[in-house]
Amino acid sequence: MKNFKVIIFALLFGTAAAAFFSACYSPSPLYGAWADNAGNKISFSDDGSFSATIMDSNGDKKNYSGNYSVVENILTFSKDDGSINTEWDIRGGMLYLIWTDSYGTQLSLTLYHSA
């Protein structure tokens, strides 16, 4: 009878713990593809990687890829030629952020959620 109570307690505790931890997880609103009409686009994956095509200050499209991390409203892109720290905001289906290109020029991007 004592073993039966221990098994029941373990099952109830395990179920409650699983429900608690799964209820706390919420996916990032950044996941998916974002683009604008100028040809800029950024895709965020749930594994922390990103790929981007950004029109730089010279008017050339440049491809980027690497990892990203989010702490509150700070978004950090880690890429081959350095990292970018920027504030981000989502209003409706639009993502606002400042991208710093390879020349050090800050580009204000407004991207629409496309997928």
Side-chain angles (χ1 to χ4, degrees), residues 6 10 22 31 34 41 45 47 50 63 73 75 90 96 103:
V6 171
S22 65
Y31 295 161
W34 300 83
K41 57 185 173 183
S45 297
D47 65 356
F50 79 95
N63 294 321
N73 70 326
L75 179 58
I90 293 179
Y96 299 89
Y103 304 106

Side-chain angles (χ1 to χ4, degrees), residues 29-36 40-45 51 93 95 111-115:
L30 291 173
Y31 295 161
W34 300 83
D36 65 11
N40 298 305
K41 57 185 173 183
I42 303 174
S43 295
F44 296 94
S45 297
S51 62
L95 170 64
L111 305 171
Y112 302 90
H113 200 250
S114 58

Side-chain angles (χ1 to χ4, degrees), residues 88-105:
W88 65 280
D89 185 25
I90 293 179
R91 284 178 254 150
M94 297 185 302
L95 170 64
Y96 299 89
L97 60 88
I98 305 293
W99 183 275
T100 304
D101 69 10
S102 299
Y103 304 106
T105 304

Side-chain angles (χ1 to χ4, degrees), residues 39 41 50-56 60-66 79-81 99 102:
K41 57 185 173 183
F50 79 95
S51 62
T53 302
I54 305 294
M55 184 85 63
D56 67 17
D60 299 321
K61 285 187 180 180
K62 183 161 182 187
N63 294 321
Y64 300 92
S65 63
K79 49 192 183 56
D80 292 338
D81 60 351
W99 183 275
S102 299

